[in-house]
Amino acid sequence: PSETTKSGASMTSACEKEQCYWSDFYSTHIPGVAFNSGDYESIAALRQVNSSLCEDPRDIDCRANVMPGVLLNQLGQIVTCNTASGLICDNQEQMPPLCYDYEVRIYCCSSVPCSTLSSPTIPVFTDTGFSTPETSSQTTNVQPLQSTLAASTSGSSVSGYQRSRSDE
């Protein structure tokens, strides 16, 4: 990555990092009911709704609007979901011949100078509550972390979960 100055000389940035994010979910097209219709969620249509979205996403996530927790391959419909086409669902390929209303989100990445990356805010825990370095004058009274954990785990076990995502 380089920048061109007014004199035409090129200079390289000292530090750049890749910053990535998932967009919100968007449904830009209401599925038609005609046999030759369907639901079409193109990347170009997403960018018309939100021009700050990237033109060349790294990944895409598609889901049915009314069943967001059901994996795409478990919906029983034939759909295409990829970063080149977006989402394509043709009524004529479905039985009964009607596509669900789908929504998509995309994963965008860009290079940004290191100086523009924001550092995460780390709360500072004390006996009377917590505060953040930027807002140290604002203190919220909460039960100390150690006491809270001890109370919530006494006599029981704590287990976590891992979220996984299918790429279909």
Side-chain angles (χ1 to χ4, degrees):
S2 62
E3 298 175 357
T4 304
T5 62
K6 286 185 180 181
S7 64
S10 180
M11 57 186 200
T12 304
S13 300
C15 177
E16 285 191 348
K17 297 281 184 181
E18 188 171 62
Q19 190 171 38
C20 301
Y21 66 94
W22 279 104
S23 72
D24 291 332
F25 278 96
Y26 295 96
S27 179
T28 61
H29 183 262
I30 297 171
V33 295
F35 185 72
N36 63 347
S37 187
D39 194 14
Y40 310 101
E41 305 291 344
S42 70
I43 303 301
L46 294 179
R47 289 188 38 78
Q48 286 179 349
V49 172
N50 184 346
S51 62
S52 68
L53 294 175
C54 59
E55 293 180 36
D56 189 22
R58 294 245 179 118
D59 202 359
I60 189 168
D61 189 14
C62 303
R63 68 184 187 185
N65 220 346
V66 295
M67 293 177 275
V70 179
L71 296 175
L72 201 59
N73 63 356
Q74 296 174 339
L75 291 171
Q77 293 204 324
I78 300 167
V79 300
T80 300
C81 177
N82 61 45
T83 57
S85 306
L87 177 124
I88 299 171
C89 180
D90 292 315
N91 285 344
Q92 59 195 0
E93 294 180 344
Q94 315 309 321
M95 190 49 76
L98 185 63
C99 289
Y100 295 124
D101 183 18
Y102 288 93
E103 58 186 5
V104 301
R105 67 180 179 162
I106 58 175
Y107 191 67
C108 295
C109 295
S110 61
S111 294
V112 295
C114 295
S115 61
T116 61
L117 291 175
S118 59
S119 300
T121 302
I122 301 170
V124 177
F125 292 95
T126 66
D127 286 340
T128 60
F130 71 93
S131 63
T132 57
E134 293 80 16
T135 58
S136 58
S137 63
Q138 298 176 354
T139 303
T140 304
N141 289 327
V142 295
Q143 190 174 4
L145 179 63
Q146 194 171 24
S147 301
T148 303
L149 287 176
S152 66
T153 59
S154 62
S156 65
S157 64
V158 176
S159 63
Y161 68 94
Q162 183 176 5
R163 181 176 176 226
S164 62
R165 185 175 164 278
S166 172
D167 288 6
E168 289 200 9

